[in-house]
Amino acid sequence: MTEIKIAITAIEIASCWEAIFLLRPMLKENEFVAQIQEMQKEGYSLIYIEEGGKVVSIAGYRIFSMLYCGKMLYIDDLSTLDICRGKGYATVLLNHLYEIAKQENCKSVHLDSGHLRTKAHKLYFKENFTISAFHFSNPIN
């Protein structure tokens, strides 16, 4: 059985860097741990799977409520190292997140995905996610 761990300490958070950087290449490694720790104060949780002592897959999530859908688990980040893709790690993490959502009485699980991430989309469709909205953003300068 694959063990899922929670990144709490600075060392545990730092060990997730490579898997997150694949998904979020705009991040700076020297700021990463502090960013995650700040997000944890806002309810963000980071879970991960190791293979051979190395983090190979991560998921970052938070739980909150919105008027249109009630209480939800929102997946901010889901990433697996290229060399470990196809081994089912993302599915293991998703199944774990579904269980957390049930325990927390969430009505749904949500995530956003870049429109060019077609391999990820195949997994999401397999997991019965649907495209329910466009996500718009507007940078504030």
Side-chain angles (χ1 to χ4, degrees):
M1 185 170 149
T2 304
E3 182 181 6
I4 297 172
K5 298 180 180 181
I6 304 170
I8 297 170
T9 69
I11 291 170
E12 293 166 338
I13 294 167
S15 73
C16 297
W17 167 253
E18 188 178 350
I20 288 184
F21 183 69
L22 283 175
L23 182 65
R24 309 281 182 225
M26 76 295 288
L27 297 177
K28 294 184 171 100
E29 189 171 7
N30 64 331
E31 298 172 357
F32 171 66
V33 171
Q35 277 183 286
I36 295 295
Q37 289 171 329
E38 190 61 32
M39 291 169 61
Q40 286 173 328
K41 293 176 188 173
E42 300 168 353
Y44 181 87
S45 294
L46 180 60
I47 59 176
Y48 63 97
I49 296 172
E50 290 179 324
E51 180 182 282
K54 179 179 182 154
V55 172
V56 295
S57 192
I58 61 90
Y61 69 95
R62 56 186 92 222
I63 296 172
F64 58 90
S65 296
M66 295 187 78
L67 290 175
Y68 79 94
C69 64
K71 191 173 183 182
M72 73 162 101
L73 186 149
Y74 181 82
I75 302 170
D76 292 62
D77 309 296
L78 181 62
S79 180
T80 300
L81 297 181
D82 288 336
I83 60 169
C84 295
R85 289 195 178 142
K87 294 184 176 184
Y89 291 129
T91 300
V92 169
L93 289 172
L94 284 171
N95 287 332
H96 184 74
L97 293 172
Y98 301 147
E99 288 304 313
I100 291 170
K102 288 176 191 171
Q103 291 168 8
E104 295 290 329
N105 296 313
C106 295
K107 294 184 177 184
S108 55
V109 174
H110 293 248
L111 59 82
D112 288 331
S113 182
H115 66 283
L116 297 176
R117 299 192 68 232
T118 55
K119 288 182 182 177
H121 300 164
K122 287 178 185 179
L123 171 65
Y124 304 148
F125 287 131
K126 185 182 112 188
E127 289 291 323
N128 295 316
F129 281 87
T130 59
I131 298 172
S132 58
F134 289 106
H135 179 94
F136 294 90
S137 65
N138 187 356
I140 305 298
N141 296 325

